[in-house]
Amino acid sequence: MARLFSPGPPPSEDLFYETYYSLSQQYPLLLLLLVIVLCALLALLVVASASGRELTSDPGFLTTVLCALGGFSLLLGLASREQRLQRWTRPLSGLVWAALLALGHGFLFTGGVVSAWDQVSFFLFVIFTTYAMLPLGMRDATAAGLVSSLSHLLVLGLYLGPQLDSRPALLPQLAANTVLFLCGNVAGVYHKALMERALRATFREALSSLHSRRRLDTEKKHQEHLLLSILPAYLAREMKAEIMARLQAGQGSRPENTNNFHSLYVKRHQGVSVLYADIVGFTRLASECSPKELVLMLNELFGKFDQIAKEHECMRIKILGDCYYCVSGLPLSLPDHAINCVRMGLDMCRAIRKLRAATGVDINMRVGVHSGSVLCGVIGLQKWQYDVWSHDVTLANHMEASGVPGRVHITGATLALLAGAYAVEDAAMEHRDPYLRELGEPTYLVIDPRAEEEDEKGTAGGLLSSLEGPKMRPSLLMTRYLESWGAAKPFAHLSHIESPVSTSTPLQVEFGGERAVIRGSRNSRIKCSRSKEKALASFSPQWSLDRSRTPRGLDDELDTGDAKFFQVIEQLNSQKQWKQSKDFNPLTLYFREKEMEKEYRLSALPAFKYYAACTFLVFLSNFTIQMLVTNRPPALAITYSITFLLFLLLLFVCFSEHLTRCVLKGPKMLHWLPALSGLVATRPGLRVALGTATILLIFAMAIASLFFTPATSNCPFRAPNVSSVAFNLSWELPGSLPLISIPYSMHCCILGFLSCSLFLHMSFELKLLLLLLWLAASCSLFLHSHAWLSDCLVARLYQGSLDSRPGVLKEPKLMGAISFFIFFFTLLVLARQNEYYCRLDFLWKKKLRQEREETETMENLTRLLLENVLPAHVAPQFIGQNRRNEDLYHQSYECVCVLFASVPDFKEFYSESNINHEGLECLRLLNEIIADFDELLSKPKFSGVEKIKTIGSTYMAATGLNATSGQDAQQDAERSCSHLGTMVEFAVALGSKLDVINKHSFNNFRLRVGLNHGPVVAGVIGAQKPQYDIWGNTVNVASRMESTGVLGKIQVTEETAWALQALGYTCYRRGVIKVKGKGQLCTYFLNTDLTRAGPPSATLG
């Protein structure tokens, strides 16, 4: 039971919870209580009139009832003024309790002779409803319950104590009353504690659900941003659906397809223009930069280009080193796509000219543009990058390569679409590369109309360099100048993704003019700036939002968050149970979804053992009362003893899990006993059977004493020849129980009613059935079959009196029947309320669980997407609490092995015709090749291989990127470059994959691989489409090793050959070859049979 009274939540949560609890939950119960009391008062008048009593003959009773009717009607009217009096709900509740207490004392002294059992049932009603139906705190309710009990005991004790000994023994009756009141207080405390615990849990779950929804919304926004930073919207939707299917099927698994091909997300678009741009002179400049300078320079440059692209409705496709290419006319067709690309190219050249003029650094921009059709989309399984393919894309690339620095080089197709918007001049034939010469079509250079204006204005050439002095490095000059452009940082929108609620705008809520700030956080607390008492005292239901401190840009977000907050709170209102709901049937409270209803009924109930324990307390109270007011016949004692053993057996079954240690020390044949408790908690049928049997036992024992009375209605006190001395000698029937046990049997029956309400999670229809059964049985017993006992007691009390007929509430059978009906309707209202909250608690737990699962799925999706853009060791830098937006990610490595693997035959294989859907089927085969290559990355032995990107049919990867910065320098050379072996095995595995594809596609593709190792700089650049990349001479040489290589061979530099030889691989010399940009290099071929034998001198030298 200790868990039922566990400490409450932090004070910061109490403010809104208590406001919500008292006003939204128990406010309707207060109204219902007043209605029940008013109906009971009217019923008293009706019963009194129907039983033939003259109401005017008992003015005290009539006055009490009429005054009570007026007073409670006034209280009901005040309580109904919800909007004005909600701040006075608790004082009003205290007033209702005081009125009920005064009414009970008024009934004590009106209508006839005062007895010790008078109005015990009414005071029991006051005590229980104080806990269950009045919006008072536990301390206030306990104080009210104890005061109610003591006032009845003290008043009767003081009033009846000095009277003559003609009355039955007073002390046993007062003791029985004490037991009754104590049982009522305990049952009330138990009911209130369980309900408050359930309500508080539901409230917390509702708030947690709100925070989960906000977090879920944030995750969805982040995913949307992240996906749209990689892919266009139309493609993002398709690929997101596949990722979700993959997550649901199991992490990393690919959904089964109807064919043997991987999904292909490529479409053909006509009427687009492609722009390629390359920064001339950047390679030499980059060699002088520090890693931070290089990444900052690239981010600022390409960030500026992204801004220009956005202005001219162009979409950046990729960044290849210092090469930038984009497309206009995707994903939506644009009539002026050619003009957009030309304008963008001119603006790029202009930006570089300004940069050169300001810094004096010798760099320039070379741009090529061509218009035609493209295949666009994503291929492969990892490191998605939106790309374009077609002969027209190849032509645009060659237009850039053969262009003139500072100029925009366009084809005739683009010129035709410009419609005279720009003047052009013929490009010199000597600038053309072999590809263009083979085509034989004329090309043109666009004349920038603003170039002459800039030349006339003149520029302060090298202004920054002259101000900073001649000693500053060109790269540092560039960095200083580019910082002024202020390009956005990559993934800036993903800041603090793990705690989106904590960073959300706080809710500004006004409680009657006092402002409280409700701020979401991960522990679901509500932090308020005002004290609890002041806020509750000044509460007003008119909620308002304080926008005085809200930035204009957050208005919409605030509206959405606040609306959801109050929508959730409104859904907890108990009055919702009577209205149409998408979750509940308003009449039966059944869930509309059959599966949810079934799940609710089959759900576990660990608290059942506490229900049984509290019911056992009611049984003990009945037993004690019967022993106090009867002459304790042996048969009754034996009956109670048998029932006592049955209850002990029930409690042993319910609490057997707590006896595990003791049972395990005993014989093995008893080791199954602790499992009984789990069976009761998890088996609904068993719980219903045990609960019903327990309540029926309480009912049976409440009226057990009636079975020991005479069967015939022979009351000796009605005989006219019985002397007054005989009256005084005995209150017992001959050979039977004392007459005073009759009203106490009725009180025990009322405890039986209360025992039914102690099973909070028992279904409403079963409670209704049991309450109806008990109401019918009790009324038939005391109004029909054993009514003569009540008449006999009245005859004994009023023997010799002038008026032998007492008032309605002084006649035991009528008093009992009225009490039965009052408790029946009261407990029926509470049963409905309990049923609603049990179901609401289940519903919110289920919603919260579903939302958490969905949030977890979304978080996994975000992580998967981010890791599809960035390496796993880099992604945490851009997600979670460690994110630092002020820093660009950059890292330098001393030893990284870079691989370029291409399928040169694919260029010849690729064709565009109607047969292959204009090249689409060719790309389907390329997608299979790249996807099969990507599948190798999921193997544990290749966990250190990081895919960088694909360029056409070339696959770029690297190893050694997951090492900590500076770690390689602290280790010896052999150990630091051990990952070269992993890259060699990966290259061989790529060749094996390609062989399998050749076998199934009837092709003869061969791989050409180039490897190199050395220092590189890694970083993330680009805010619009963040991209992880590596730069450095090592990367350039590795690319040249591939482009100058031989089909079916792995070509490496001399330094890499020596390193591989040290690892046990064999290399043989190819010779000295000419490498563009590097001059003459001695290169080697790797023996791909992976034989690790022989000294280095055998093959190198």
Side-chain angles (χ1 to χ4, degrees):
M1 293 291 288
R3 294 173 59 189
L4 300 180
F5 306 98
S6 56
S12 58
E13 189 175 293
D14 283 340
L15 170 64
F16 200 78
Y17 166 71
E18 291 187 12
T19 306
Y20 141 81
Y21 173 71
S22 62
L23 301 182
S24 174
Q25 309 314 307
Q26 286 203 325
Y27 172 75
L29 289 178
L30 173 61
L31 296 181
L32 287 171
L33 173 61
L34 292 172
V35 170
I36 290 172
V37 172
L38 287 172
C39 292
L41 291 171
L42 291 173
L44 283 177
L45 295 177
V46 172
V47 170
S49 177
S51 61
R53 290 175 172 82
E54 290 290 337
L55 295 177
T56 55
S57 64
D58 190 355
F61 171 76
L62 182 61
T63 303
T64 302
V65 172
L66 292 178
C67 290
L69 277 172
F72 283 103
S73 297
L74 178 63
L75 289 174
L76 180 61
L78 290 175
S80 300
R81 303 296 296 271
E82 177 184 2
Q83 292 190 355
R84 292 188 180 181
L85 289 179
Q86 277 191 351
R87 69 179 66 181
W88 303 107
T89 299
R90 292 192 176 178
L92 184 64
S93 302
L95 195 58
V96 171
W97 167 75
L100 286 172
L101 195 61
L103 180 62
H105 284 289
F107 286 151
L108 271 177
F109 296 99
T110 58
V113 177
V114 178
S115 303
W117 45 265
D118 265 350
Q119 307 310 315
V120 170
S121 58
F122 185 82
F123 274 78
L124 200 58
F125 170 77
V126 174
I127 292 169
F128 185 73
T129 54
T130 299
Y131 290 101
M133 301 185 77
L134 292 182
L136 298 172
M138 181 63 81
R139 289 183 180 179
D140 295 339
T142 304
L146 292 177
V147 169
S148 302
S149 307
L150 291 174
S151 67
H152 185 276
L153 295 172
L154 289 174
V155 168
L156 286 182
L158 292 174
Y159 183 79
L160 297 176
Q163 295 189 13
L164 298 176
D165 294 336
S166 59
R167 300 298 179 93
L170 180 62
L171 285 179
Q173 295 183 76
L174 291 180
N177 293 350
T178 303
V179 174
L180 278 165
F181 294 148
L182 181 63
C183 182
N185 276 281
V186 172
V189 169
Y190 167 87
H191 187 280
K192 190 175 188 67
L194 277 183
M195 284 307 299
E196 282 198 348
R197 183 169 179 250
L199 287 172
R200 197 178 291 274
T202 305
F203 181 71
R204 285 176 174 173
E205 285 153 10
L207 289 183
S208 298
S209 177
L210 171 67
H211 300 321
S212 293
R213 289 181 189 178
R214 285 192 170 187
R215 184 170 182 171
L216 185 60
D217 291 341
T218 306
E219 288 292 340
K220 288 179 177 178
K221 289 179 183 178
H222 289 166
Q223 286 171 25
E224 196 70 20
H225 284 303
L226 190 54
L227 264 177
L228 294 180
S229 71
I230 311 170
L231 309 168
Y234 80 93
L235 192 58
R237 287 191 295 269
E238 295 181 33
M239 302 196 75
K240 183 178 179 180
E242 179 172 335
I243 298 174
M244 292 294 289
R246 191 187 309 176
L247 284 174
Q248 292 172 0
Q251 185 68 27
S253 64
R254 182 162 55 93
E256 294 184 4
N257 206 337
T258 53
N259 53 43
N260 295 324
F261 293 103
H262 295 85
S263 299
L264 179 66
Y265 301 100
V266 176
K267 291 184 178 180
R268 185 168 185 83
H269 281 266
Q270 295 182 343
V272 300
S273 291
V274 184
L275 177 148
Y276 271 83
D278 187 69
I279 305 174
V280 181
F282 186 80
T283 303
R284 178 178 54 80
L285 180 65
S287 64
E288 303 172 3
C289 295
S290 66
K292 183 176 182 179
E293 290 172 352
L294 177 61
V295 174
L296 176 61
M297 191 183 306
L298 288 169
N299 187 70
E300 295 290 342
L301 276 172
F302 294 132
K304 179 68 172 178
F305 296 161
D306 285 344
Q307 292 175 9
I308 296 172
K310 187 175 181 181
E311 292 171 3
H312 297 298
E313 296 183 285
C314 295
M315 178 195 294
R316 190 240 292 171
I317 301 298
K318 271 187 184 177
I319 298 171
L320 304 175
D322 58 351
C323 179
Y324 182 102
Y325 71 99
C326 64
V327 175
S328 181
L330 284 180
L332 300 176
S333 298
L334 297 172
D336 51 354
H337 56 86
I339 295 178
N340 290 340
C341 276
V342 170
R343 285 177 180 170
M344 179 176 175
L346 293 174
D347 283 351
M348 293 170 80
C349 292
R350 192 173 301 115
I352 294 299
R353 279 201 300 272
K354 290 181 179 179
L355 175 62
R356 184 174 64 247
T359 62
V361 178
D362 186 20
I363 61 171
N364 215 327
M365 179 63 75
R366 192 171 57 213
V367 180
V369 179
H370 174 59
S371 302
S373 59
V374 297
L375 289 166
C376 57
V378 173
I379 62 172
L381 302 177
Q382 295 193 20
K383 295 297 184 294
W384 292 329
Q385 289 183 352
Y386 191 66
D387 210 344
V388 290
W389 304 266
S390 72
H391 290 316
D392 291 323
V393 175
T394 306
L395 178 55
N397 190 4
H398 285 281
M399 289 295 293
E400 175 273 315
S402 61
V404 177
R407 303 294 297 274
V408 178
H409 192 198
I410 65 173
T411 61
T414 303
L415 178 62
L417 293 171
L418 293 180
Y422 289 94
V424 297
E425 60 184 7
D426 292 337
M429 296 294 293
E430 60 269 16
H431 289 135
R432 299 190 179 185
D433 67 359
Y435 185 87
L436 293 180
R437 282 199 294 268
E438 184 179 345
L439 288 178
E441 295 184 3
T443 60
Y444 308 91
L445 297 174
V446 178
I447 299 174
D448 188 352
R450 289 173 290 183
E452 294 181 0
E453 297 176 9
E454 291 177 1
D455 292 340
E456 290 175 3
K457 291 179 181 179
T459 55
L463 177 61
L464 188 60
S465 60
S466 62
L467 291 175
E468 298 289 350
K471 295 182 180 180
M472 184 170 289
R473 290 183 290 109
S475 59
L476 189 55
L477 284 171
M478 281 272 291
T479 306
R480 292 272 182 94
Y481 180 77
L482 289 172
E483 283 179 338
S484 66
W485 286 2
K489 304 295 189 299
F491 300 108
H493 60 282
L494 292 182
S495 142
H496 302 291
I497 195 170
E498 290 183 356
S499 55
V501 178
S502 62
T503 60
S504 61
T505 306
L507 300 174
Q508 306 282 346
V509 183
E510 290 189 2
F511 292 89
E514 300 291 340
R515 183 177 300 127
V517 180
I518 304 175
R519 187 184 302 274
S521 63
R522 281 184 295 175
N523 59 5
S524 304
R525 293 184 180 182
I526 301 179
K527 300 179 181 178
C528 299
S529 62
R530 301 294 182 188
S531 66
K532 175 173 65 178
E533 293 80 6
K534 183 180 290 187
L536 288 174
S538 61
F539 176 80
S540 169
Q542 304 299 324
W543 303 90
S544 62
L545 301 177
D546 181 9
R547 299 183 181 275
S548 59
R549 302 181 181 178
T550 305
R552 186 178 302 174
L554 295 178
D555 279 352
D556 294 337
E557 182 179 349
L558 183 61
D559 286 338
T560 304
D562 294 345
K564 289 183 178 179
F565 180 84
F566 294 113
Q567 184 180 3
V568 168
I569 297 304
E570 179 64 19
Q571 288 176 11
L572 297 175
N573 196 316
S574 62
Q575 300 175 52
K576 288 283 184 181
Q577 62 180 297
W578 305 104
K579 300 178 182 179
Q580 285 295 331
S581 168
K582 64 178 182 180
D583 299 312
F584 301 105
N585 182 310
L587 181 62
T588 63
L589 291 181
Y590 287 1
F591 291 112
R592 295 191 182 276
E593 295 182 13
K594 292 184 178 180
E595 286 299 320
M596 187 178 292
E597 180 68 23
K598 182 180 179 181
E599 186 179 350
Y600 170 75
R601 293 186 178 274
L602 294 179
S603 59
L605 184 59
F608 181 83
K609 54 189 174 185
Y610 300 123
Y611 302 166
C614 200
T615 310
F616 179 65
L617 177 65
V618 174
F619 167 76
L620 290 179
S621 300
N622 279 346
F623 170 72
T624 306
I625 293 166
Q626 297 286 358
M627 293 300 106
L628 285 171
V629 299
T630 65
N631 50 12
R632 295 176 286 280
L636 183 63
I638 293 172
T639 305
Y640 267 102
S641 299
I642 296 172
T643 311
F644 182 78
L645 292 177
L646 292 176
F647 262 104
L648 286 182
L649 180 61
L650 172 65
L651 293 176
F652 174 79
V653 170
C654 292
F655 289 90
S656 60
E657 62 179 356
H658 298 283
L659 305 174
T660 304
R661 290 186 179 179
C662 299
V663 172
L664 292 179
K665 293 179 181 179
K668 288 186 178 181
M669 61 182 298
L670 299 178
H671 287 185
W672 56 272
L673 289 177
L676 292 175
S677 179
L679 285 176
V680 173
T682 56
R683 299 292 179 87
L686 184 59
R687 284 201 309 268
V688 169
L690 288 176
T692 305
T694 303
I695 293 172
L696 290 177
L697 274 177
I698 295 291
F699 288 170
M701 297 313 298
I703 57 174
S705 61
L706 296 178
F707 297 105
F708 300 97
T709 56
T712 58
S713 55
N714 184 17
C715 179
F717 304 110
R718 292 179 179 177
N721 58 349
V722 178
S723 65
S724 60
V725 176
F727 304 158
N728 299 332
L729 291 178
S730 175
W731 282 80
E732 296 183 12
L733 295 173
S736 181
L737 299 176
L739 287 173
I740 59 169
S741 67
I742 305 305
Y744 282 100
S745 294
M746 298 178 183
H747 300 331
C748 289
C749 288
I750 291 174
L751 290 184
F753 276 101
L754 290 182
S755 68
C756 191
S757 72
L758 297 178
F759 289 82
L760 295 184
H761 277 74
M762 182 177 283
S763 64
F764 175 75
E765 58 269 24
L766 182 57
K767 283 185 182 178
L768 175 61
L769 179 63
L770 290 172
L771 288 173
L772 278 173
L773 175 66
W774 188 229
L775 178 67
S778 302
C779 289
S780 64
L781 279 171
F782 292 104
L783 291 178
H784 180 64
S785 63
H786 290 72
W788 67 273
L789 292 171
S790 174
D791 297 336
C792 192
L793 176 59
V794 169
R796 176 66 183 86
L797 279 173
Y798 292 90
Q799 190 75 35
S801 175
L802 294 176
D803 184 7
S804 61
R805 192 167 192 189
V808 173
L809 292 179
K810 297 293 184 176
E811 187 171 351
K813 62 181 180 182
L814 291 181
M815 178 269 300
I818 292 172
S819 299
F820 296 155
F821 275 96
I822 290 175
F823 272 92
F824 171 78
F825 287 111
T826 302
L827 295 179
L828 210 57
V829 168
L830 287 175
R832 166 89 183 194
Q833 192 84 347
N834 294 346
E835 174 84 356
Y836 176 69
Y837 278 115
C838 289
R839 289 177 175 273
L840 191 65
D841 182 62
F842 174 81
L843 177 65
W844 279 102
K845 283 180 179 177
K846 186 175 180 64
K847 284 184 177 180
L848 181 60
R849 186 168 61 249
Q850 290 174 344
E851 285 167 359
R852 283 178 175 169
E853 290 174 356
E854 189 176 354
T855 302
E856 184 179 351
T857 302
M858 290 298 171
E859 288 175 346
N860 290 336
L861 178 55
T862 302
R863 178 185 51 78
L864 191 149
L865 287 173
L866 194 59
E867 290 182 359
N868 215 336
V869 182
L870 305 175
H873 67 282
V874 178
Q877 301 291 330
F878 293 89
I879 195 168
Q881 298 178 353
N882 297 325
R883 173 75 177 107
R884 298 190 302 273
N885 281 327
E886 65 274 10
D887 294 335
L888 281 166
Y889 175 78
H890 59 85
Q891 188 70 277
S892 59
Y893 299 90
E894 293 300 319
C895 182
V896 171
C897 184
V898 183
L899 170 141
F900 282 84
S902 71
V903 186
D905 298 334
F906 184 79
K907 292 180 181 178
E908 298 178 4
F909 173 79
Y910 180 82
S911 63
E912 296 177 0
S913 63
N914 292 331
I915 298 176
N916 61 19
H917 300 93
E918 300 299 329
L920 186 63
E921 296 307 317
C922 297
L923 274 188
R924 190 180 302 279
L925 181 58
L926 179 61
N927 182 55
E928 292 301 308
I929 294 172
I930 301 300
D932 283 359
F933 289 176
D934 287 344
E935 286 179 346
L936 290 173
L937 299 173
S938 60
K939 293 187 175 182
K941 67 176 181 178
F942 297 134
S943 59
V945 179
E946 192 66 46
K947 177 185 177 182
I948 305 300
K949 67 179 80 169
T950 56
I951 308 128
S953 61
T954 301
Y955 194 92
M956 179 183 175
T959 56
L961 292 173
N962 53 359
T964 308
S965 178
Q967 179 180 350
D968 293 337
Q970 300 172 7
Q971 300 175 348
D972 56 83
E974 180 180 353
R975 187 176 177 185
S976 66
C977 295
S978 59
H979 56 81
L980 269 67
T982 303
M983 184 58 88
V984 170
E985 294 186 20
F986 182 71
V988 174
L990 293 179
S992 300
K993 279 285 186 183
L994 191 58
D995 289 340
V996 174
I997 292 174
N998 285 334
K999 181 179 179 180
H1000 289 91
S1001 63
F1002 306 103
N1003 283 298
N1004 191 27
F1005 295 134
R1006 287 186 294 173
L1007 209 59
R1008 188 173 69 196
V1009 180
L1011 285 181
N1012 188 29
H1013 81 288
V1016 301
V1017 174
V1020 180
I1021 59 172
Q1024 297 296 326
K1025 287 187 178 181
Q1027 179 176 318
Y1028 178 83
D1029 210 343
I1030 56 177
W1031 304 273
N1033 184 62
T1034 302
V1035 181
N1036 297 335
V1037 173
S1039 176
R1040 301 305 181 197
M1041 288 297 99
E1042 180 274 319
S1043 60
T1044 60
V1046 177
L1047 290 174
K1049 301 290 184 181
I1050 301 175
Q1051 182 173 231
V1052 299
T1053 60
E1054 186 172 6
E1055 294 80 5
T1056 303
W1058 279 102
L1060 289 172
Q1061 190 77 7
L1063 294 174
Y1065 293 93
T1066 57
C1067 300
Y1068 58 91
R1069 177 172 174 170
R1070 178 188 183 185
V1072 178
I1073 61 171
K1074 184 179 180 181
V1075 177
K1076 181 182 177 182
K1078 304 300 175 185
Q1080 303 292 323
L1081 287 182
C1082 182
T1083 63
Y1084 291 78
F1085 288 130
L1086 182 68
N1087 190 348
T1088 55
D1089 59 4
L1090 297 183
T1091 356
R1092 302 191 180 193
S1097 58
T1099 53
L1100 294 174

